[in-house]
Amino acid sequence: MDAILFLVKPNDLETLILEAETPQDVLESPFMQHSLFLGETWEVLNQLLNPQGQSKTSLTYAIETEHPLSDRRPGLSLAVHYNTVVRVDEIQHVLANLSVDEIKKRYLLSIADTTPENELKLAELKLIYLQLQSFYRDAARQNLTVLSVIKDGIRLEKLF
């Protein structure tokens, strides 16, 4: 499965809640301000942000956002979720205090050995984590919501 995050104005989010029928409708929506494509790497990064045994924190919703876009449309409610402006601000504060070195440490503890493949994966994770921090910082500064789409084969008609 792939994941992508979008920044959306709160009023535009309300329109999406009312009008979107499918995840593809969301992906093609003109309301998206900015996006961060996480691809399949989102699953590993999500595990690093939320280590096993740790109680739920705001980071639980950093990638797999909190609220389903619509409970009335099952296909949409499974793939598309969003975080409110308040939740975005909480996540941004936690991400700002979680260094890339901590992510690196968590990753190295989770793998058995350091192979060239794992080193490449670590570099990718660090880059995506820095982008995630910047993404949430921008969202918090502009009072935007964050919307996530997680599904197989995400197709984007346009680049942001």
Side-chain angles (χ1 to χ4, degrees), residues 8-138:
V8 183
K9 292 179 183 176
N11 290 343
D12 293 340
L13 177 65
E14 290 178 22
T15 302
L16 277 173
I17 290 169
L18 295 172
E19 295 179 359
E21 297 286 331
T22 67
Q24 195 62 33
D25 290 344
V26 173
L27 292 172
E28 295 172 4
S29 171
F31 298 130
M32 304 309 170
Q33 299 287 309
H34 183 65
S35 67
L36 176 60
F37 184 73
L38 303 170
E40 294 178 354
T41 305
W42 76 270
E43 292 178 277
V44 175
L45 182 56
N46 197 43
Q47 290 170 1
L48 298 176
L49 294 173
N50 302 290
Q52 285 185 334
Q54 178 182 328
S55 60
K56 278 193 169 187
T57 67
S58 296
L59 291 184
T60 304
Y61 305 112
I63 297 172
E64 292 183 281
T65 53
E66 186 172 16
H67 304 286
L69 189 65
S70 174
D71 291 328
R72 298 178 311 226
R73 297 177 191 98
L76 202 55
S77 67
L78 292 175
V80 184
H81 291 77
Y82 67 93
N83 285 329
T84 63
V85 171
V86 172
R87 178 66 76 189
V88 166
D89 193 53
E90 292 171 6
I91 292 169
Q92 186 275 325
H93 285 298
V94 177
L95 287 173
N97 293 313
L98 183 62
S99 72
V100 74
D101 288 336
E102 178 63 23
I103 295 296
K104 176 183 176 180
K105 183 174 110 181
R106 290 178 184 185
Y107 179 71
L108 292 174
L109 289 173
S110 73
I111 59 174
D113 56 1
T114 333
T115 63
E117 182 180 291
N118 285 337
E119 287 292 325
L120 187 59
K121 185 68 158 183
L122 175 59
E124 180 183 18
L125 284 167
K126 287 169 39 177
L127 177 62
I128 288 177
Y129 178 69
L130 290 170
Q131 291 173 338
L132 184 68
Q133 281 181 314
S134 177
F135 187 82
Y136 269 93
R137 185 174 43 253
D138 290 347

